[in-house]
Amino acid sequence: DASTTWARTTAAAKTGTASMWFDSKNYTCNGCIEILQTPNLDLTSITTPHVTFQVAYQLLTNPASAQNWSDTLRVDISTDCGKSWTTLYHKYGTALTTTTPTFSSAAFIPDTSEWRLESIDLTPYASNNNVILRWKVSSDYENNLYIDDINIGSTGYNAIENQQDLNDMVLV
């Protein structure tokens, strides 16, 4: 829709000086989906592959209200060049929130204590040399969502090490 999408921000970061964010608070398109996707990855040389990332999120509306909404974050994997996808991670509502209180009418900008480390086991895909991962946010006109410190590999290995690697990720 050529509107709001994933962007780099220096307003918040778990580590370093920047993170990725999605400005759902100002995106009045309920149900619209924005995707951040890796280039093809070869997992064959990685022992017990996994992906970890930091997430930060707070709801805009009270989850106890009669009408409650939430943005949704999914991480999907493809081993056939994006023809089909399998969901590895799917959170929304209070399960996605990383701070207390779980909601606020103010635009959410997390401090370093308001992040949660997520880890996804990629061992079932270890024999694949053509893996694509995507972070997929579905907007429900709620609050800001942040992602930082994406690591793909095993202990001591980081496939996305610098800004250039992040730049290689594709918005779709």
Side-chain angles (χ1 to χ4, degrees), residues 144-162:
N144 301 329
L145 174 70
Y146 299 83
I147 303 290
D148 200 5
D149 299 339
I150 296 172
N151 289 287
I152 301 166
S154 60
T155 304
Y157 178 84
N158 181 356
I160 299 179
E161 296 176 324
N162 56 45

Side-chain angles (χ1 to χ4, degrees), residues 48-104:
T48 61
H50 66 276
V51 59
T52 61
F53 62 95
Q54 295 281 346
V55 62
Y57 180 70
Q58 183 178 50
L59 291 163
L60 187 68
T61 57
N62 184 343
S65 65
Q67 288 184 321
N68 58 35
W69 297 274
S70 174
D71 301 314
T72 301
L73 179 63
R74 288 179 28 184
V75 178
D76 300 329
I77 191 167
S78 176
T79 58
D80 59 6
C81 296
K83 292 177 188 168
S84 63
W85 296 91
T86 301
T87 299
L88 303 173
Y89 172 98
H90 182 208
K91 289 190 178 178
Y92 57 91
T94 56
L96 183 57
T97 61
T98 60
T99 187
T100 303
T102 58
F103 70 97
S104 172

Side-chain angles (χ1 to χ4, degrees), residues 12 23 26 30 36 45 67 79 95 100 104 110 112 134 143 168 172:
D23 182 9
N26 294 305
N30 287 2
L36 181 72
S45 64
Q67 288 184 321
T79 58
T100 303
S104 172
T112 56
R134 69 181 182 186
N143 215 330
D168 289 341
V172 283

